[in-house]
Amino acid sequence: MTEKNNPVSEKSGGKQDNTLAWIVGIAGGGLGLAIICALCVVVAAGVIMIMQYRSDSQAYEPLMPSPFVITTATPVPPLATAEPSEEPVIAEPTVEEPTPVESVDVIWVVREIGGDITMPMLQEDVVDEFNNTHDDIFLIMDVVAYDLYQDTLAVMVAAGDAPDIVGPESMISTGLPTDQWLDLSGYIEESGFDTSIYNPAVMDIYNLPDQGQIALPYSIYPSAMFYNVDLFDAANLCYPPEHFGEPYCDGDPWDWDKVREIGMLLTLDANGNNATSQNFDPDNIVQYGLTLQWTDARGEAIFVGGNGTVWNGQGAFIPDNWRDAWQWHHDGIWEDHFIMSRIATDEYYSNPFSEGVVAMYPSHSWYFCCIFNEFNWDIGALPVPFDGNITAKTNGSTFFIHKESEHPDAAWEVLSWMLEEKSDVLDEVFSANPARIVSEEEYRNILEDIYYDDFSNVNVGVLIEAQDYPDIPSNETYLPNHSSADETLWDFYTLYQEMPRDMDADIDALESDLEYVFSD
């Protein structure tokens, strides 16, 4: 019997052959894959070695770790068994944070100025320069409208928010008592600020009893005798002396008695008679010998009488030299007729010297602003006042640090920097007549820059001399209850400007009124 093939066995045997072929195929494919992977590793290693060359023409150097690189990779094993190495970790550089500079704000309150638009810009430049060169102080300039300045300062102080720096202002134009200003003596000494740039006499203007050095000089306006050269020539009279302390050309002392003498010769009525003539008509005067325009009772008393004050530290007191000065002025108006009264002054737009109708006028260097008409004029020395001491009434403006400043040290640093480094720029901004010592030529150039006039024939040297003789106490010293005291003095002043008076009685009444005002 013929034996048949077992389909199952045949079928099974074929399946075994296919399985073996499949295994062999798989093995062959795996070997190929392994070879491919090995080749990839070799190529990658070659790329890495190529990347170790510097680019272009640089010589090959093996890569070295950076000071800021921490290497954490393990040695590379044979390629066939290599495991991917870890990427190097780049450490961030350790940079120390700078210690923050603690900055303070310094508030500088300044009155708004008019005129050339470049002036406020120059102010801002000064502030910016300070802030750009100082890390610990930030200067803030608070500009206040001109007519609101005093009220603004008063409100700030009353609210406990006093400004650090104020100015430039006079001692009275701030509207604040002088005892509110910080004594700078300690700062000046400790910092070594060079005060030799100022005339010591000018420094003393701001060195007040029981208060100390409340300011450094910044801008001052000394005084001299302005005179009309043409009127002196017409009367064939010598001019006022060129220098303080010199006599008049006839050898007599240059004092207010001599001013009265030549003033009467320079005073003319409509018929050409001078005030010494019996034919002189006092009701028809066309030219006066003297005016004291644009001043007040205190200013007039200092010009003519010399140093003094109506406040002696305890109460009201009128010194004798001031009594004599007011009497002399009264008599010059109503008896000798050579001094222009205030009523007559108003007829000439309150500026009679500029109108060319007055021969002499004692005033300050700021008056250069206001001579408009074309005539020949010059300045000479002031007469010696009644107290016998050469005195040149002086106005000034400067910067103050308030006692209640939150940062007085920083405020001093700002102020001293402005005065030492930026005084020339600030002079231009504020049209300042510099308080620092300058030569006559430099002073002349400064005046020409400020007033746009030719000063080549003006005796500006007498203004430099005048700085040796400022009035102390200053005519700008703050009085107790100042606003009311000033009004009382003005009322007294206008009395004898308008009509003849009993001056002794009026002066006694003034003293009594001031005593009441000071005690209020």
Side-chain angles (χ1 to χ4, degrees):
M1 176 170 128
T2 303
E3 193 174 4
K4 296 182 180 178
N5 292 331
N6 188 336
V8 175
S9 297
E10 185 177 351
K11 185 175 182 181
S12 297
K15 184 176 181 180
Q16 289 174 355
D17 293 341
N18 292 338
T19 299
L20 179 61
W22 178 79
I23 291 173
V24 171
I26 291 296
L31 179 59
L33 180 61
I35 293 171
I36 292 171
C37 289
L39 290 173
C40 289
V41 171
V42 171
V43 171
V47 171
I48 292 173
M49 293 180 66
I50 292 171
M51 291 176 64
Q52 292 182 1
Y53 284 85
R54 292 185 182 270
S55 61
D56 301 329
S57 61
Q58 290 179 323
Y60 166 77
E61 292 180 0
L63 291 178
M64 300 296 292
S66 157
F68 301 107
V69 175
I70 301 176
T71 304
T72 59
T74 57
V76 180
L79 291 178
T81 59
E83 295 292 333
S85 62
E86 296 182 11
E87 292 292 331
V89 176
I90 309 299
E92 293 292 334
T94 303
V95 179
E96 294 185 5
E97 292 292 332
T99 303
V101 176
E102 188 173 340
S103 177
V104 299
D105 292 344
V106 168
I107 309 299
W108 170 24
V109 179
V110 61
R111 193 189 297 261
E112 182 182 33
I113 58 176
D116 191 342
I117 193 172
T118 61
M119 296 302 103
M121 294 173 63
L122 288 174
Q123 282 179 280
E124 293 171 4
D125 289 345
V126 169
V127 173
D128 289 343
E129 181 173 345
F130 181 87
N131 289 332
N132 290 335
T133 55
H134 295 76
D135 295 329
D136 55 342
I137 303 172
F138 189 74
L139 177 59
I140 300 172
M141 182 173 64
D142 187 359
V143 180
V144 179
Y146 189 90
D147 56 347
L148 298 178
Y149 192 77
Q150 290 189 355
D151 290 342
T152 299
L153 289 178
V155 169
M156 293 177 72
V157 173
D161 192 24
D164 300 296
I165 300 175
V166 171
E169 298 287 333
S170 72
M171 284 187 281
I172 55 176
S173 65
T174 63
L176 298 177
T178 51
D179 62 4
Q180 292 197 19
W181 307 124
L182 185 67
D183 179 8
L184 303 181
S185 303
Y187 287 107
I188 295 169
E189 181 177 358
E190 183 177 350
S191 66
F193 187 94
D194 184 12
T195 58
S196 68
I197 63 175
Y198 305 117
N199 187 317
V202 175
M203 281 283 292
D204 286 343
I205 294 174
Y206 300 104
N207 191 3
L208 306 186
D210 302 322
Q211 296 181 48
Q213 192 75 41
I214 64 168
L216 288 166
Y218 165 63
S219 177
I220 61 167
Y221 304 90
S223 55
M225 181 67 85
F226 287 74
Y227 63 92
N228 188 316
V229 172
D230 297 336
L231 300 187
F232 270 82
D233 288 346
N236 198 27
L237 290 171
C238 295
Y239 308 139
E242 292 185 4
H243 304 286
F244 281 88
E246 287 184 348
Y248 193 58
C249 64
D250 61 2
D252 287 347
W254 177 236
D255 56 20
W256 290 96
D257 288 335
K258 178 56 71 171
V259 169
R260 173 184 176 275
E261 177 185 324
I262 65 173
M264 294 180 70
L265 295 172
L266 289 160
T267 301
L268 304 177
D269 65 14
N271 296 316
N273 299 309
N274 66 46
T276 65
S277 171
Q278 293 182 344
N279 298 321
F280 178 74
D281 182 1
D283 296 323
N284 198 13
I285 301 175
V286 296
Q287 176 181 304
Y288 286 85
L290 180 71
T291 181
L292 282 94
Q293 65 185 60
W294 297 0
T295 188
D296 57 12
R298 284 205 293 175
E300 178 186 294
I302 293 169
F303 271 131
V304 180
N307 290 324
T309 180
V310 295
W311 166 254
N312 63 7
Q314 297 179 338
F317 176 76
I318 310 296
D320 289 342
N321 57 317
W322 281 27
R323 287 176 175 267
D324 294 341
W326 287 327
Q327 183 69 60
W328 181 90
H329 192 179
H330 170 275
D331 294 347
I333 296 173
W334 303 112
E335 296 181 12
D336 299 324
H337 307 294
F338 73 97
I339 300 177
M340 181 177 280
S341 71
R342 189 163 191 85
I343 295 174
T345 299
D346 290 341
E347 295 178 4
Y348 292 97
Y349 311 103
S350 299
N351 191 3
F353 185 83
S354 178
E355 294 295 316
V357 296
V358 176
M360 292 177 287
Y361 170 39
S363 190
H364 300 266
S365 57
W366 48 253
Y367 185 66
F368 291 134
C369 73
C370 308
I371 305 175
F372 304 116
N373 289 332
E374 293 293 331
F375 61 89
N376 295 308
W377 58 270
D378 201 353
I379 54 176
L382 289 167
V384 178
F386 288 164
D387 69 356
N389 300 311
I390 298 174
T391 304
K393 177 172 170 279
T394 301
N395 291 162
S397 61
T398 191
F399 302 91
F400 303 93
I401 297 177
H402 200 275
K403 277 184 176 179
E404 301 303 320
S405 166
E406 292 185 9
H407 309 292
D409 293 352
W412 165 253
E413 186 170 345
V414 173
L415 177 57
S416 59
W417 178 85
M418 289 197 299
L419 293 177
E420 289 180 321
E421 304 293 334
K422 291 298 163 186
S423 60
D424 55 341
V425 178
L426 295 174
D427 288 352
E428 183 178 358
V429 170
F430 298 109
S431 298
N433 289 193
R436 61 189 183 279
I437 297 173
V438 295
S439 67
E440 183 173 332
E441 180 180 1
E442 184 179 358
Y443 193 64
R444 189 186 310 277
N445 292 335
I446 291 170
L447 294 176
E448 289 181 344
D449 289 342
I450 294 174
Y451 301 109
Y452 305 104
D453 205 346
D454 180 12
F455 282 79
S456 58
N457 295 319
V458 178
N459 178 28
V460 299
V462 75
L463 292 172
I464 296 177
E465 291 180 23
Q467 298 177 30
D468 291 334
Y469 310 108
D471 53 308
I472 297 176
S474 170
N475 63 95
E476 296 177 320
T477 300
Y478 199 89
L479 297 172
N481 198 4
H482 186 87
S483 180
S484 294
D486 194 51
E487 183 177 351
T488 301
L489 284 162
W490 185 257
D491 289 344
F492 160 77
Y493 179 70
T494 57
L495 288 176
Y496 65 85
Q497 292 285 329
E498 296 177 353
M499 65 183 70
R501 303 288 302 180
D502 180 344
M503 290 301 290
D504 285 336
D506 282 353
I507 294 171
D508 288 342
L510 170 65
E511 188 173 75
S512 178
D513 291 343
L514 287 173
E515 183 64 37
Y516 175 78
V517 168
F518 293 156
S519 62
D520 187 8

